[in-house]
Amino acid sequence: MAPVLELEGITKRFGAIEAIRGIDFAVEPGEVVGLMGDNGAGKSTLCRIIAGTFAPTTGTLRLNGHEVHFRRPSDAREEGVEMVHQDLALCDNLTAALNVFLGREITFGFGPFRFLDRGKMQARAGELFAELKSETRPGELVKRMSGGQRQAVAIARTRLSEPKVVLLDEPTAAISVRQVAEVLELIRRLRDAGIAVILISHRAPDVFAVCDRVAVLRRGEKVADKPVGATSPEEVTGLITGAIEYA
Amino acid sequence: MTTRELGRPSIDYVGLLARFAAPLFLLFLVVLFAVLEPRFLHPLNLMNILRQVSIMGLVAVGMTFVILTAGIDLSVGSVVALAGLVGAYVAKGGLDDRFAVGAAAAAGNPVILAVLAAVAVGAACGAMQGAAITRLRVPPFVVTLGGLTAFRGLALIFSGGGPISGFSPAFVWWGQGRIYGVPVPVIVFALVAAVAHIVLRYTRFGLWIYATGGNSAASELNGVPIRRATFSAYVIVGLLSGLAGFILSARLNSAEAVAGLQLELDVIAAVVIGGTSLFGGIGSIFGTVVGVVLIGVLRNGLVLMNVSSFVQQILIGLILVLAVAVDQRAALRRS
């Protein structure tokens, strides 16, 4: 299958510091790729380039074979690249439905007089939560929700449009074991919908549970990219720390 | 996930109490004063209370927008004075006959120009402060503290220290007139509060105000124009302070540079007593109206009962702290 997202020779410098260097990377529709590496290895930088937070210094990004240049996150969103941030980027003072639609509100009215269509947003958010098989009530304040439900709200957001690629930044870092299972289930649902998923994680068990492939970054370079069946948590750990050079 | 989370959420009594604390306390005060002093409930007295609070109320409506974005505006009293003077100046067509009364007072420009001038000056003050906050990234407290002294100074220079008084009947009507027995300032306040309520509750801009105050970083990541929302909030409070300044001039038939001294304290107290969180993201215009009326009722009732105005100040201070304490308890219980 043709890759939906392709990166070629992506390098990013911040002043004298080279955060990532010559990264080639591709994901196919319906594929879940784990992106692993130690703190400072360049995982976040790479993700932010894909999600449009900043542009690469050199290298090209292609979506469905077409070269794209994102200048801001909304550009990436328009092309079907959605990101779930590590802190989920939720407003605790708003309901789940309003959080899902934040920045892309549904309105009705005429001319300059436009009003929020809370009913429609509530209903659509409810559908998205149901698709994700999540016990999340659209009318409830996010403040009162569990970690798993909060993840569901952030993931539901990515499905408002027809996303091609969804990036998840450490979605399992700050939640309980039981909720981790919930989140991994959410990721499988994205995959089943034919969406390419990039999962950034520190946790080898999660990556091995849900991913088809794992890529390892170390000090800004990609040192491994192979199917999970062809590697092991031990090998990945060795690659992350540098005990194993390349694989 | 526990069964309790799956079922209906348990009723949050402290939260409910916090939500209705201000209206309940207002009701309690009304009943208390009605029992202790029958004159309190006289329609004329009730209208008086509303008229007294309507000017502060206009500013408080604007302040609600600002506090919802987790900001603050300390400059409102000074903006009221400056805008009131500019409105008076325009109405008079200059400072030549600043104390004129009678026929001479009718000369000058139409009242509508005076209103527009006052509102424009207020909005400009708000825009300057909003720009300093969103572009220069100076904290709102500091920017508007600067505005508090700078706009007062500007008002003093503009007026040359003296008042501008004696306006046309059409001008004074905005402060002293009545429509079907209801004072004009009360009607203006009610209209402004109603529009503000609709904007905050039912429009995308209103949602952006709440989102910015709730989590500005998250809002920005989701494409909410947080700087535009924040800037607009300061323009709105400036604009409404300008309108309040005009109405105050009309009510007193005089504009002076010392008008609205310490108004910011009353206004912030009213907004906070009405349940709007100083941390942003939580609150409503309904709450602010309750807070404004509550302060008016308390003042009026205590005056009727011959309680010294010094004691009033103490009581308002205590209620303010109590209101925030109840809020904090509710917030703790929720998290």
Side-chain angles (χ1 to χ4, degrees):
Chain A
M1 202 183 287
V4 55
L5 171 76
E6 279 176 283
L7 277 63
E8 203 180 302
I10 296 282
T11 296
K12 178 71 188 178
R13 289 190 205 93
F14 297 102
I17 299 161
E18 212 167 32
I20 51 173
R21 189 162 49 245
I23 304 271
D24 297 326
F25 184 68
V27 206
E28 287 173 11
E31 191 184 24
V32 184
V33 183
L35 190 57
M36 302 195 69
D38 208 347
N39 292 341
K43 305 186 299 284
S44 292
T45 305
L46 188 60
C47 276
R48 285 177 191 175
I49 287 170
I50 298 170
T53 310
F54 38 66
T57 311
T58 60
T60 52
L61 224 77
R62 276 191 294 273
L63 271 175
N64 285 335
H66 299 289
E67 197 171 326
V68 287
H69 299 275
F70 300 144
R71 285 174 32 238
R72 55 184 79 86
S74 53
D75 294 350
R77 233 184 198 183
E78 246 161 60
E79 294 284 341
V81 178
E82 295 271 354
M83 173 141 182
V84 178
H85 296 272
Q86 185 165 4
D87 68 355
L88 304 181
L90 298 175
C91 288
D92 277 351
N93 58 331
L94 303 179
T95 63
L98 286 175
N99 263 291
V100 168
F101 282 93
L102 193 57
R104 290 182 277 193
E105 302 83 1
I106 302 177
T107 57
F108 67 95
F110 47 92
F113 299 97
R114 305 210 61 85
F115 300 98
L116 294 175
D117 197 335
R118 284 170 189 262
K120 207 177 262 179
M121 288 193 273
Q122 194 114 336
R124 182 80 187 102
E127 284 168 23
L128 289 172
F129 296 145
E131 277 173 36
L132 294 169
K133 300 218 176 349
S134 167
E135 297 273 356
T136 306
R137 284 182 294 268
E140 194 175 347
L141 285 183
V142 165
K143 188 188 311 197
R144 299 173 60 127
M145 289 183 174
S146 71
Q149 288 176 319
R150 294 169 68 93
Q151 283 285 349
V153 174
I155 290 174
R157 213 180 242 169
T158 66
R159 309 213 37 191
L160 277 185
S161 52
E162 299 278 315
K164 301 185 184 92
V165 180
V166 171
L167 297 133
L168 295 118
D169 191 358
E170 300 279 4
T172 53
I175 55 180
S176 71
V177 175
R178 185 194 288 263
Q179 288 165 0
V180 167
E182 236 177 272
V183 170
L184 296 183
E185 200 47 44
L186 292 175
I187 292 171
R188 290 192 188 99
R189 297 203 190 284
L190 292 177
R191 178 199 61 198
D192 294 346
I195 297 164
V197 180
I198 300 173
L199 170 66
I200 304 145
S201 183
H202 268 94
R203 292 169 43 100
D206 299 345
V207 170
F208 279 84
V210 77
C211 293
D212 305 308
R213 194 148 57 83
V214 56
V216 180
L217 294 184
R218 189 173 67 239
R219 290 199 249 146
E221 284 182 272
K222 192 170 86 171
V223 293
D225 190 345
K226 56 206 287 192
V228 285
T231 182
S232 64
E234 291 73 27
E235 189 188 32
V236 166
T237 308
L239 285 162
I240 291 171
T241 58
I244 305 171
E245 273 295 314
Y246 287 95
Chain B
M1 190 174 288
T2 64
T3 46
R4 193 175 144 196
E5 278 174 85
L6 277 172
R8 279 171 55 81
S10 59
I11 297 171
D12 176 9
Y13 292 104
V14 182
L16 276 178
L17 179 69
R19 188 154 174 207
F20 295 107
L24 284 176
F25 190 62
L26 176 58
L27 196 68
F28 166 77
L29 281 182
V30 168
V31 171
L32 180 76
F33 288 134
V35 170
L36 294 177
E37 177 53 74
R39 279 178 299 169
F40 175 80
L41 277 185
H42 194 283
L44 269 181
N45 186 51
L46 294 181
M47 272 305 163
N48 252 336
I49 295 175
L50 290 179
R51 191 173 57 185
Q52 277 157 5
V53 299
S54 56
I55 289 170
M56 169 179 95
L58 280 173
V59 182
V61 166
M63 187 70 83
T64 307
F65 282 79
V66 166
I67 295 183
L68 278 175
T69 67
I72 196 86
D73 188 349
L74 302 174
S75 73
V76 289
S78 304
V79 174
V80 163
L82 181 62
L85 281 166
V86 171
Y89 177 91
V90 170
K92 287 258 181 187
L95 286 178
D96 297 336
D97 53 351
R98 60 195 297 167
F99 304 119
V101 285
N109 294 305
V111 178
I112 185 70
L113 282 185
V115 179
L116 289 177
V119 167
V121 165
C125 292
M128 275 192 281
Q129 300 187 111
I133 290 159
T134 55
R135 298 286 153 184
L136 306 180
R137 310 223 168 238
V138 184
F141 187 93
V142 176
V143 169
T144 60
L145 187 61
L148 169 91
T149 81
F151 296 139
R152 182 71 66 187
L154 213 55
L156 284 162
I157 292 173
F158 185 79
S159 72
I164 304 175
S165 55
F167 302 110
S168 66
F171 187 103
V172 172
W173 177 81
W174 283 90
Q176 301 179 2
R178 286 170 186 270
I179 297 174
Y180 293 112
V182 184
V184 175
V186 176
I187 293 170
V188 174
F189 172 45
L191 284 176
V192 165
V195 170
H197 171 77
I198 290 168
V199 167
L200 272 182
R201 185 94 182 83
Y202 298 106
T203 71
R204 178 182 283 177
F205 172 72
L207 178 64
W208 289 347
I209 293 279
Y210 279 98
T212 301
N215 186 343
S216 63
S219 303
E220 191 165 32
L221 284 172
N222 284 298
V224 173
I226 58 167
R227 286 209 259 181
R228 210 167 83 207
T230 306
F231 176 80
S232 306
Y234 287 92
V235 173
I236 288 168
V237 72
L239 191 148
L240 291 177
S241 299
L243 183 61
F246 164 75
I247 290 179
L248 184 64
S249 303
R251 167 120 185 78
L252 303 175
N253 198 9
S254 171
E256 34 192 316
V258 291
L261 265 182
Q262 298 193 353
L263 180 69
E264 63 282 350
L265 299 179
D266 273 354
V267 166
I268 294 168
V271 173
V272 171
I273 287 172
T276 298
S277 163
L278 282 171
F279 300 109
I282 297 170
S284 66
I285 295 294
F286 172 74
T288 294
V289 171
V290 168
V292 165
V293 174
L294 196 151
I295 289 184
V297 163
L298 190 67
R299 289 227 169 101
N300 177 274
L302 292 173
V303 167
L304 287 182
M305 289 165 58
N306 287 321
V307 177
S308 122
S309 69
F310 304 149
V311 176
Q312 293 173 29
Q313 292 182 22
I314 297 172
L315 281 176
I316 289 173
L318 284 176
I319 291 168
L320 178 67
V321 175
L322 198 70
V324 175
V326 172
D327 244 21
Q328 291 288 7
R329 279 300 292 268
L332 276 180
R333 193 63 81 85
R334 276 194 294 263
S335 59

